[in-house]
Amino acid sequence: MISGSTISHAQSLSEELGLALSAANAAGKVIAGGYGKTNHIQSKDLGDLVSEIDLEADRIACEILSQQSDLPIVSEELHSDSSGLADTWIVDPLDASNAFLMQAGPQYPSVLIALQRDHQTRLGVVYFPITGEVFYAQFGRGAWHDGKRLICAEHQSLDCSWVEMNHYGNHRWETEFYQDLWERLRSDHGAQVVTSNLPYSGVAVRIAQGAGAPAIAIHDNNPDHPKQGPWDIAAPQIVLEEAGGVFLNPKGQRTNLWQPEPIIVARSEQLGRQVLDLATRNVLA
């Protein structure tokens, strides 16, 4: 459960951020209550699972937001139509559903809530209800972890870095960019360590956290079959960016959460650019 002092701190940054934490807290109670229990599982695609816990967490988060805000809500399970919205709440009620249902570890499942105004993300919350950790950010006012300021540690070199690869469960949707970068990162010119664990969008705030976490994550995201929707991106992106990290597309531009394409998530601009340089160099011939 998110502490009252942390919610109060978030409210001091903005009332809307305090509301987002309250909604995440309520959804988190649903997730924690269902962790380790038998759940009715549906498959949206190969390796893409959803349960009644996702739906109930979505319902209660959206209910709390709508009680105190007139803005529309985009959410992964219940309100996925995001067309033409400049001002909206963006909700992923249970990120890392596969890890949650497979009981892979308490560090994976999270609630992601963000607020967009004038097409710009203004705040974000990433709450891990099983471990009790909460990360949040207000645009221009920094990123925070359990009420303490979150700042990315300096990390200078790709060849000394841990890179986490976030792939599709169904290989048919994997992009050429991702396949090629996967090989390059495991070459003599690549990263020190490359891993591929259960995918979760909350990896971005772990990157900001530093010790014991990767410095870079690569999310594959095929426009023909998106894996990372706006609900997966918005909250982790603003938290990492306010802490000093970056979300980049294959062209080196800031990730547009409404445009599906592969994503480079890095602890620093320098590291992100080193990945992009590796992606374009002739190093495998």
mmCIF file of all heavy atoms in Angstrom, residues 112-141:
data_model
loop_
_atom_site.group_PDB
_atom_site.id
_atom_site.type_symbol
_atom_site.label_atom_id
_atom_site.label_comp_id
_atom_site.label_asym_id
_atom_site.label_seq_id
_atom_site.Cartn_x
_atom_site.Cartn_y
_atom_site.Cartn_z
ATOM 1 N N LEU A 112 0.294 1.429 -14.023
ATOM 2 C CA LEU A 112 0.851 2.594 -14.705
ATOM 3 C C LEU A 112 -0.267 3.599 -14.977
ATOM 4 O O LEU A 112 -1.247 3.270 -15.646
ATOM 5 C CB LEU A 112 1.488 2.183 -16.039
ATOM 6 C CG LEU A 112 2.425 0.964 -16.044
ATOM 7 C CD1 LEU A 112 2.905 0.678 -17.459
ATOM 8 C CD2 LEU A 112 3.596 1.194 -15.110
ATOM 9 N N ILE A 113 -0.115 4.808 -14.477
ATOM 10 C CA ILE A 113 -1.117 5.852 -14.706
ATOM 11 C C ILE A 113 -0.403 7.148 -15.088
ATOM 12 O O ILE A 113 0.562 7.553 -14.431
ATOM 13 C CB ILE A 113 -1.990 6.087 -13.460
ATOM 14 C CG1 ILE A 113 -2.757 4.807 -13.107
ATOM 15 C CG2 ILE A 113 -2.968 7.249 -13.687
ATOM 16 C CD1 ILE A 113 -3.652 4.937 -11.873
ATOM 17 N N ALA A 114 -0.884 7.772 -16.151
ATOM 18 C CA ALA A 114 -0.300 9.038 -16.617
ATOM 19 C C ALA A 114 -1.417 10.004 -16.987
ATOM 20 O O ALA A 114 -2.559 9.603 -17.219
ATOM 21 C CB ALA A 114 0.622 8.806 -17.807
ATOM 22 N N LEU A 115 -1.074 11.257 -17.052
ATOM 23 C CA LEU A 115 -2.000 12.305 -17.480
ATOM 24 C C LEU A 115 -1.383 13.075 -18.624
ATOM 25 O O LEU A 115 -0.244 13.538 -18.534
ATOM 26 C CB LEU A 115 -2.310 13.269 -16.327
ATOM 27 C CG LEU A 115 -3.186 14.472 -16.684
ATOM 28 C CD1 LEU A 115 -4.581 14.033 -17.111
ATOM 29 C CD2 LEU A 115 -3.275 15.451 -15.510
ATOM 30 N N GLN A 116 -2.151 13.226 -19.695
ATOM 31 C CA GLN A 116 -1.714 14.010 -20.845
ATOM 32 C C GLN A 116 -2.576 15.252 -20.972
ATOM 33 O O GLN A 116 -3.798 15.187 -20.851
ATOM 34 C CB GLN A 116 -1.834 13.175 -22.125
ATOM 35 C CG GLN A 116 -1.468 13.931 -23.386
ATOM 36 C CD GLN A 116 -1.544 13.057 -24.617
ATOM 37 O OE1 GLN A 116 -0.590 12.399 -24.975
ATOM 38 N NE2 GLN A 116 -2.697 13.044 -25.259
ATOM 39 N N ARG A 117 -1.914 16.382 -21.201
ATOM 40 C CA ARG A 117 -2.612 17.632 -21.503
ATOM 41 C C ARG A 117 -1.951 18.276 -22.717
ATOM 42 O O ARG A 117 -0.728 18.341 -22.798
ATOM 43 C CB ARG A 117 -2.584 18.597 -20.313
ATOM 44 C CG ARG A 117 -3.505 18.178 -19.158
ATOM 45 C CD ARG A 117 -3.676 19.301 -18.153
ATOM 46 N NE ARG A 117 -4.566 18.944 -17.060
ATOM 47 C CZ ARG A 117 -5.899 19.011 -17.100
ATOM 48 N NH1 ARG A 117 -6.483 19.415 -18.223
ATOM 49 N NH2 ARG A 117 -6.634 18.682 -16.065
ATOM 50 N N ASP A 118 -2.783 18.740 -23.638
ATOM 51 C CA ASP A 118 -2.282 19.351 -24.875
ATOM 52 C C ASP A 118 -1.278 18.430 -25.567
ATOM 53 O O ASP A 118 -0.238 18.872 -26.054
ATOM 54 C CB ASP A 118 -1.644 20.715 -24.594
ATOM 55 C CG ASP A 118 -2.644 21.709 -24.041
ATOM 56 O OD1 ASP A 118 -3.816 21.666 -24.465
ATOM 57 O OD2 ASP A 118 -2.265 22.512 -23.167
ATOM 58 N N HIS A 119 -1.602 17.142 -25.581
ATOM 59 C CA HIS A 119 -0.780 16.113 -26.242
ATOM 60 C C HIS A 119 0.582 15.908 -25.579
ATOM 61 O O HIS A 119 1.470 15.305 -26.182
ATOM 62 C CB HIS A 119 -0.580 16.443 -27.732
ATOM 63 C CG HIS A 119 -1.855 16.512 -28.511
ATOM 64 N ND1 HIS A 119 -2.585 15.390 -28.835
ATOM 65 C CD2 HIS A 119 -2.527 17.568 -29.035
ATOM 66 C CE1 HIS A 119 -3.660 15.750 -29.528
ATOM 67 N NE2 HIS A 119 -3.650 17.066 -29.657
ATOM 68 N N GLN A 120 0.768 16.405 -24.349
ATOM 69 C CA GLN A 120 2.031 16.226 -23.638
ATOM 70 C C GLN A 120 1.778 15.530 -22.301
ATOM 71 O O GLN A 120 0.854 15.902 -21.573
ATOM 72 C CB GLN A 120 2.709 17.579 -23.375
ATOM 73 C CG GLN A 120 3.128 18.311 -24.640
ATOM 74 C CD GLN A 120 4.256 17.603 -25.370
ATOM 75 O OE1 GLN A 120 5.133 17.004 -24.761
ATOM 76 N NE2 GLN A 120 4.233 17.670 -26.691
ATOM 77 N N THR A 121 2.608 14.526 -21.981
ATOM 78 C CA THR A 121 2.474 13.846 -20.697
ATOM 79 C C THR A 121 2.935 14.782 -19.587
ATOM 80 O O THR A 121 4.060 15.280 -19.601
ATOM 81 C CB THR A 121 3.307 12.551 -20.670
ATOM 82 O OG1 THR A 121 2.923 11.725 -21.769
ATOM 83 C CG2 THR A 121 3.064 11.784 -19.371
ATOM 84 N N ARG A 122 2.051 15.006 -18.614
ATOM 85 C CA ARG A 122 2.347 15.957 -17.541
ATOM 86 C C ARG A 122 2.737 15.273 -16.235
ATOM 87 O O ARG A 122 3.400 15.879 -15.393
ATOM 88 C CB ARG A 122 1.135 16.863 -17.284
ATOM 89 C CG ARG A 122 0.567 17.525 -18.517
ATOM 90 C CD ARG A 122 1.605 18.297 -19.299
ATOM 91 N NE ARG A 122 2.152 19.424 -18.547
ATOM 92 C CZ ARG A 122 3.055 20.265 -19.016
ATOM 93 N NH1 ARG A 122 3.537 20.090 -20.236
ATOM 94 N NH2 ARG A 122 3.508 21.257 -18.269
ATOM 95 N N LEU A 123 2.318 14.025 -16.047
ATOM 96 C CA LEU A 123 2.674 13.309 -14.823
ATOM 97 C C LEU A 123 2.551 11.816 -15.073
ATOM 98 O O LEU A 123 1.914 11.373 -16.027
ATOM 99 C CB LEU A 123 1.771 13.738 -13.656
ATOM 100 C CG LEU A 123 0.260 13.496 -13.782
ATOM 101 C CD1 LEU A 123 -0.137 12.084 -13.346
ATOM 102 C CD2 LEU A 123 -0.505 14.526 -12.958
ATOM 103 N N GLY A 124 3.204 11.045 -14.208
ATOM 104 C CA GLY A 124 3.132 9.600 -14.342
ATOM 105 C C GLY A 124 3.381 8.903 -13.014
ATOM 106 O O GLY A 124 4.133 9.414 -12.167
ATOM 107 N N VAL A 125 2.740 7.734 -12.850
ATOM 108 C CA VAL A 125 2.905 6.907 -11.656
ATOM 109 C C VAL A 125 3.181 5.476 -12.095
ATOM 110 O O VAL A 125 2.501 4.948 -12.991
ATOM 111 C CB VAL A 125 1.630 6.926 -10.785
ATOM 112 C CG1 VAL A 125 1.746 5.917 -9.632
ATOM 113 C CG2 VAL A 125 1.353 8.320 -10.255
ATOM 114 N N VAL A 126 4.189 4.858 -11.494
ATOM 115 C CA VAL A 126 4.495 3.440 -11.701
ATOM 116 C C VAL A 126 4.533 2.803 -10.311
ATOM 117 O O VAL A 126 5.452 3.053 -9.537
ATOM 118 C CB VAL A 126 5.842 3.241 -12.418
ATOM 119 C CG1 VAL A 126 6.121 1.748 -12.609
ATOM 120 C CG2 VAL A 126 5.849 3.968 -13.763
ATOM 121 N N TYR A 127 3.518 1.993 -10.025
ATOM 122 C CA TYR A 127 3.368 1.424 -8.680
ATOM 123 C C TYR A 127 3.488 -0.095 -8.742
ATOM 124 O O TYR A 127 2.751 -0.756 -9.480
ATOM 125 C CB TYR A 127 2.021 1.826 -8.098
ATOM 126 C CG TYR A 127 1.687 1.192 -6.756
ATOM 127 C CD1 TYR A 127 2.636 1.090 -5.739
ATOM 128 C CD2 TYR A 127 0.405 0.720 -6.498
ATOM 129 C CE1 TYR A 127 2.324 0.514 -4.511
ATOM 130 C CE2 TYR A 127 0.078 0.150 -5.273
ATOM 131 C CZ TYR A 127 1.041 0.044 -4.288
ATOM 132 O OH TYR A 127 0.725 -0.528 -3.075
ATOM 133 N N PHE A 128 4.425 -0.652 -7.976
ATOM 134 C CA PHE A 128 4.618 -2.096 -7.875
ATOM 135 C C PHE A 128 3.925 -2.579 -6.595
ATOM 136 O O PHE A 128 4.501 -2.491 -5.503
ATOM 137 C CB PHE A 128 6.113 -2.434 -7.834
ATOM 138 C CG PHE A 128 6.855 -2.072 -9.091
ATOM 139 C CD1 PHE A 128 7.422 -0.815 -9.245
ATOM 140 C CD2 PHE A 128 6.988 -2.992 -10.121
ATOM 141 C CE1 PHE A 128 8.105 -0.469 -10.399
ATOM 142 C CE2 PHE A 128 7.674 -2.663 -11.276
ATOM 143 C CZ PHE A 128 8.229 -1.408 -11.430
ATOM 144 N N PRO A 129 2.689 -3.066 -6.690
ATOM 145 C CA PRO A 129 1.918 -3.328 -5.473
ATOM 146 C C PRO A 129 2.393 -4.522 -4.657
ATOM 147 O O PRO A 129 2.098 -4.594 -3.454
ATOM 148 C CB PRO A 129 0.502 -3.585 -6.009
ATOM 149 C CG PRO A 129 0.695 -4.030 -7.414
ATOM 150 C CD PRO A 129 1.896 -3.300 -7.907
ATOM 151 N N ILE A 130 3.124 -5.454 -5.257
ATOM 152 C CA ILE A 130 3.584 -6.617 -4.499
ATOM 153 C C ILE A 130 4.801 -6.243 -3.645
ATOM 154 O O ILE A 130 4.920 -6.666 -2.503
ATOM 155 C CB ILE A 130 3.917 -7.807 -5.423
ATOM 156 C CG1 ILE A 130 2.785 -8.040 -6.445
ATOM 157 C CG2 ILE A 130 4.155 -9.063 -4.602
ATOM 158 C CD1 ILE A 130 1.440 -8.299 -5.818
ATOM 159 N N THR A 131 5.688 -5.419 -4.194
ATOM 160 C CA THR A 131 6.853 -4.970 -3.420
ATOM 161 C C THR A 131 6.555 -3.698 -2.633
ATOM 162 O O THR A 131 7.309 -3.335 -1.720
ATOM 163 C CB THR A 131 8.060 -4.711 -4.331
ATOM 164 O OG1 THR A 131 7.759 -3.613 -5.217
ATOM 165 C CG2 THR A 131 8.391 -5.950 -5.157
ATOM 166 N N GLY A 132 5.491 -2.983 -3.006
ATOM 167 C CA GLY A 132 5.117 -1.760 -2.310
ATOM 168 C C GLY A 132 5.849 -0.518 -2.771
ATOM 169 O O GLY A 132 5.691 0.550 -2.175
ATOM 170 N N GLU A 133 6.636 -0.605 -3.843
ATOM 171 C CA GLU A 133 7.407 0.548 -4.324
ATOM 172 C C GLU A 133 6.564 1.413 -5.260
ATOM 173 O O GLU A 133 5.806 0.892 -6.079
ATOM 174 C CB GLU A 133 8.631 0.078 -5.100
ATOM 175 C CG GLU A 133 9.614 -0.761 -4.313
ATOM 176 C CD GLU A 133 10.614 -1.403 -5.241
ATOM 177 O OE1 GLU A 133 10.306 -2.470 -5.808
ATOM 178 O OE2 GLU A 133 11.703 -0.833 -5.406
ATOM 179 N N VAL A 134 6.733 2.712 -5.175
ATOM 180 C CA VAL A 134 6.045 3.605 -6.088
ATOM 181 C C VAL A 134 7.021 4.647 -6.636
ATOM 182 O O VAL A 134 7.816 5.232 -5.897
ATOM 183 C CB VAL A 134 4.831 4.286 -5.422
ATOM 184 C CG1 VAL A 134 5.226 5.142 -4.229
ATOM 185 C CG2 VAL A 134 4.049 5.098 -6.433
ATOM 186 N N PHE A 135 6.985 4.836 -7.932
ATOM 187 C CA PHE A 135 7.774 5.832 -8.648
ATOM 188 C C PHE A 135 6.790 6.816 -9.281
ATOM 189 O O PHE A 135 5.763 6.397 -9.824
ATOM 190 C CB PHE A 135 8.615 5.180 -9.742
ATOM 191 C CG PHE A 135 9.614 4.166 -9.255
ATOM 192 C CD1 PHE A 135 9.211 2.879 -8.900
ATOM 193 C CD2 PHE A 135 10.963 4.477 -9.171
ATOM 194 C CE1 PHE A 135 10.129 1.938 -8.456
ATOM 195 C CE2 PHE A 135 11.887 3.547 -8.727
ATOM 196 C CZ PHE A 135 11.467 2.271 -8.370
ATOM 197 N N TYR A 136 7.122 8.103 -9.246
ATOM 198 C CA TYR A 136 6.199 9.067 -9.839
ATOM 199 C C TYR A 136 6.968 10.304 -10.280
ATOM 200 O O TYR A 136 8.094 10.555 -9.814
ATOM 201 C CB TYR A 136 5.072 9.437 -8.874
ATOM 202 C CG TYR A 136 5.502 9.877 -7.494
ATOM 203 C CD1 TYR A 136 5.599 11.232 -7.161
ATOM 204 C CD2 TYR A 136 5.786 8.948 -6.499
ATOM 205 C CE1 TYR A 136 5.969 11.642 -5.889
ATOM 206 C CE2 TYR A 136 6.155 9.345 -5.226
ATOM 207 C CZ TYR A 136 6.250 10.690 -4.920
ATOM 208 O OH TYR A 136 6.622 11.091 -3.661
ATOM 209 N N ALA A 137 6.352 11.048 -11.177
ATOM 210 C CA ALA A 137 7.008 12.246 -11.713
ATOM 211 C C ALA A 137 5.959 13.273 -12.098
ATOM 212 O O ALA A 137 4.853 12.931 -12.528
ATOM 213 C CB ALA A 137 7.861 11.900 -12.921
ATOM 214 N N GLN A 138 6.334 14.533 -11.950
ATOM 215 C CA GLN A 138 5.540 15.664 -12.419
ATOM 216 C C GLN A 138 6.413 16.433 -13.400
ATOM 217 O O GLN A 138 7.578 16.722 -13.100
ATOM 218 C CB GLN A 138 5.135 16.567 -11.251
ATOM 219 C CG GLN A 138 4.310 17.780 -11.631
ATOM 220 C CD GLN A 138 2.858 17.442 -11.913
ATOM 221 O OE1 GLN A 138 2.286 16.585 -11.257
ATOM 222 N NE2 GLN A 138 2.262 18.110 -12.884
ATOM 223 N N PHE A 139 5.895 16.741 -14.560
ATOM 224 C CA PHE A 139 6.687 17.407 -15.591
ATOM 225 C C PHE A 139 7.325 18.686 -15.043
ATOM 226 O O PHE A 139 6.666 19.543 -14.476
ATOM 227 C CB PHE A 139 5.808 17.754 -16.798
ATOM 228 C CG PHE A 139 6.552 18.435 -17.899
ATOM 229 C CD1 PHE A 139 7.395 17.719 -18.730
ATOM 230 C CD2 PHE A 139 6.418 19.797 -18.098
ATOM 231 C CE1 PHE A 139 8.095 18.351 -19.752
ATOM 232 C CE2 PHE A 139 7.107 20.443 -19.113
ATOM 233 C CZ PHE A 139 7.954 19.710 -19.938
ATOM 234 N N GLY A 140 8.653 18.770 -15.199
ATOM 235 C CA GLY A 140 9.394 19.938 -14.751
ATOM 236 C C GLY A 140 9.693 19.984 -13.270
ATOM 237 O O GLY A 140 10.390 20.892 -12.802
ATOM 238 N N ARG A 141 9.206 18.968 -12.510
ATOM 239 C CA ARG A 141 9.412 18.988 -11.056
ATOM 240 C C ARG A 141 10.116 17.731 -10.553
ATOM 241 O O ARG A 141 10.194 17.494 -9.355
ATOM 242 C CB ARG A 141 8.079 19.192 -10.339
ATOM 243 C CG ARG A 141 7.350 20.471 -10.761
ATOM 244 C CD ARG A 141 6.295 20.872 -9.765
ATOM 245 N NE ARG A 141 6.874 21.277 -8.487
ATOM 246 C CZ ARG A 141 6.148 21.666 -7.430
ATOM 247 N NH1 ARG A 141 4.816 21.694 -7.522
ATOM 248 N NH2 ARG A 141 6.717 22.004 -6.299
#
